[in-house]
Amino acid sequence: MLEFKNVSFQYEGEDFDIIDDLSFTVDKGDFVSIIGISGCGKSTIFKLIGGMLRRKSGQILIEGSDVSSLKTPAGYMPQKDLLFPWRTIEKNLRLPMEIARIPEAEQKARVASILKEVGLSDYAGKYPKDLSGGMRQRISFARTLLTDADLLMLDEPFSALDALTRMNMQEWLLSQWQHLNKTILFITHDVEEALFMSGKIYLVQQTPIHELEVIHIPMDYPRTRDFMARPDIIELKEYMIDQLKRQVIL
C-alpha cells in the first residue's frame, strides 16, 4: 500500500534532515501505529505522504504510484475535529464536496450514507456544540472516509478525550477498520493505545529519523482489554517506554 524509499526532508532554516534516508513499507489492510517523543518527526511523515511538504529526495509510493501524481494520496484526520460551529454536521461534511462542485444530490446521498456508517444519522441537523467529544471525532473520521482513500492517516485523534471516552473510541475505530477494510497509519504518544490497536508499531528511536524499529504485536483481532495484562504485552510495553525515555532530554 505505502512505500518510503530513501526519503529525506529538511525544514527551511534547519541545518539537518529531520527525515534522513528513511525507508519503510505498510501493507494493504494493516493497522500500523507510529510512536515517538514530541517533535521527533512523526507528523512530518504524514505531511510528506499527503503532499503538504515536498521531500528533498527519495520516493513515496502508494500502490506503486508516486504520491505527487495522486489527487488524494490519503485521507487525513487531525488531532482536533476542526468542525465549523456555524454549520450543521451535514453541512460540515458537505463542505469539501461543495468546494469540489459535486452536485448537491450526490453530496446529500454520500453524507447520509457515511453518517449511517458511523452511527450518527440522527445528528445530521445538529451543530458541533450539540455533540460529545467522542461524537465529534466520529464525525471527523466520517469526513476522512469521504475522501474515498484506501489509506487513512490519523494524527493523535483521541489525545483530547477523557480516558473512558478514549477507550470507547479505540474500540469503535477498530470495529470500523475491520468493517471498512482500510489501511490505517496512526500516530500516538500513548504506548498502551498503540499496543491495543496495532498489528505493528513503528517506533521512532532517534531524530533525525533514519529508520523505524518494527514491533509486531502477538495478538489477532478482534481484541479485548484482557490481553493487555499478558506478560509478553507488559514486557513489550516496558521495552517501548524505556526506549522513549532514553530520548527525552530533561
Side-chain angles (χ1 to χ4, degrees), residues 1-234:
M1 169 60 74
L2 172 68
E3 185 175 10
F4 266 53
K5 300 175 71 174
N6 307 109
V7 174
S8 294
F9 172 79
Q10 180 177 332
Y11 281 106
E12 186 176 349
E14 297 286 353
D15 58 1
F16 65 94
D17 294 344
I18 191 167
I19 307 294
D20 176 32
D21 197 34
L22 176 64
S23 297
F24 70 91
T25 61
V26 175
D27 293 333
K28 190 175 181 66
D30 274 359
F31 194 118
V32 175
S33 288
I34 302 177
I35 191 164
I37 65 172
S38 296
C40 70
K42 303 184 301 298
S43 294
T44 302
I45 291 174
F46 273 17
K47 291 174 182 177
L48 289 168
I49 295 169
M52 292 170 274
L53 295 174
R54 183 175 296 179
R55 60 195 178 271
K56 180 178 175 181
S57 60
Q59 289 183 293
I60 304 174
L61 307 174
I62 292 180
E63 294 190 306
S65 298
D66 194 282
V67 293
S68 62
S69 69
L70 302 175
K71 183 178 179 181
T72 307
Y76 176 65
M77 181 177 173
Q79 294 180 36
K80 297 181 180 180
D81 58 68
L82 303 180
L83 299 174
F84 291 114
W86 59 87
R87 292 179 71 102
T88 64
I89 297 306
E90 179 191 8
K91 289 185 177 180
N92 263 288
L93 291 174
R94 285 174 53 184
L95 182 59
M97 292 183 281
E98 290 175 9
I99 294 170
R101 298 188 177 182
I102 291 172
E104 186 174 353
E106 183 180 345
Q107 292 179 32
K108 289 184 175 182
R110 291 184 65 189
V111 167
S113 177
I114 206 68
L115 283 173
K116 183 178 180 181
E117 195 70 60
V118 300
L120 291 174
S121 295
D122 294 340
Y123 292 85
K126 301 287 186 180
Y127 289 86
K129 67 179 178 60
D130 301 319
L131 275 62
S132 68
M135 288 178 176
R136 289 169 67 116
Q137 288 305 88
R138 283 160 68 180
I139 294 299
S140 183
F141 182 70
R143 184 177 54 199
T144 306
L145 289 175
L146 284 169
T147 63
D148 289 330
D150 289 326
L151 174 64
L152 306 181
M153 304 185 299
L154 280 56
D155 191 350
E156 297 190 73
F158 308 144
S159 60
L161 302 177
D162 65 83
L164 183 58
T165 302
R166 185 170 186 155
M167 287 193 291
N168 289 335
M169 285 300 299
Q170 290 166 0
E171 293 165 8
W172 178 83
L173 178 59
L174 281 181
S175 69
Q176 291 290 307
W177 166 67
Q178 292 175 280
H179 168 63
L180 296 167
N181 196 31
K182 298 288 187 179
T183 304
I184 291 182
L185 201 53
F186 188 93
I187 286 178
T188 179
H189 283 100
D190 189 322
V191 171
E192 285 195 5
E193 181 170 71
L195 284 167
F196 178 69
M197 302 189 73
S198 313
K200 286 188 291 189
I201 296 172
Y202 289 167
L203 178 64
V204 180
Q205 290 190 310
Q206 60 186 13
T207 301
I209 304 177
H210 177 65
E211 61 182 350
L212 299 169
E213 180 180 359
V214 183
I215 297 173
H216 296 271
I217 310 304
M219 182 68 180
D220 292 330
Y221 298 94
R223 294 176 179 173
T224 64
R225 297 282 169 183
D226 295 343
F227 106 102
M228 296 297 293
R230 283 176 23 177
D232 56 340
I233 300 300
I234 293 173

